[in-house]
Structure formats: C-alpha cells, structure tokens
Amino acid sequence: MLKATIRYSERYAREGRKLGRLTHELEIDAANQPAWWEALRNGDRPGRRLPATVASVSADFRQVAAEVLAAVATQQQEQPA
C-alpha cells in the first residue's frame, strides 16, 4: 500500500475538467494569476480564479508518483536478471 494520499478538492476537480488541464498545469496557472486585489486596483474585474488548493493537490500527486516509481524500481532490482 502507498503511504501518500491525494486530498479531496471538489473545486479543483471541477476546474480541471472544465479547462481540460492537468494538476501541474493548473498549479502553474494559479501561481501566475494576479492577486484579486491587483485586478481590482487596475480596474479589471477579477473574474473566475483558480483555487489555492491546486498547489496542495499537485504536490499530493507528485508524492504518489514518487512512491510508485520507487516501488517499481525496488521491484525491478529484486527480480533476477
């Protein structure tokens, strides 16, 4: 069994499906979006924003992937040539 878990975030899941983007892509988009108050200061309407939980969920996926790769590497080392 894996020790890492992927936390639940309904809003992230909805945005990912709607935009057709993967977790790490949404994380980059969220990091690059201007702060809501910057948009208001510039006279723009902030509009739809990506949730802050995207970074956490993306880190969870990276952790699970690292565990899986480590398990595969261990399994391959244990098999006779």
Side-chain angles (χ1 to χ4, degrees):
M1 297 293 290
L2 299 176
K3 292 181 176 126
T5 59
I6 299 173
R7 69 193 82 206
Y8 178 78
S9 173
E10 180 66 32
R11 185 161 174 225
Y12 152 75
R14 222 179 7 251
E15 291 295 328
R17 285 190 303 269
K18 181 178 179 181
L19 299 173
R21 314 259 305 152
L22 300 174
T23 309
H24 67 280
E25 295 171 329
L26 286 175
E27 180 183 19
I28 293 168
D29 293 345
N32 291 331
Q33 70 185 354
W36 63 270
W37 50 268
E38 286 177 348
L40 288 176
R41 183 184 294 166
N42 295 335
D44 299 334
R45 191 161 173 249
R48 191 169 184 92
R49 301 186 47 78
L50 292 171
T53 56
V54 167
S56 301
V57 175
S58 183
D60 292 347
F61 273 104
R62 280 192 298 274
Q63 190 174 8
V64 168
E67 259 189 70
V68 168
L69 291 175
V72 168
T74 301
Q75 184 70 23
Q76 288 179 343
Q77 289 175 352
E78 292 174 359
Q79 289 181 350

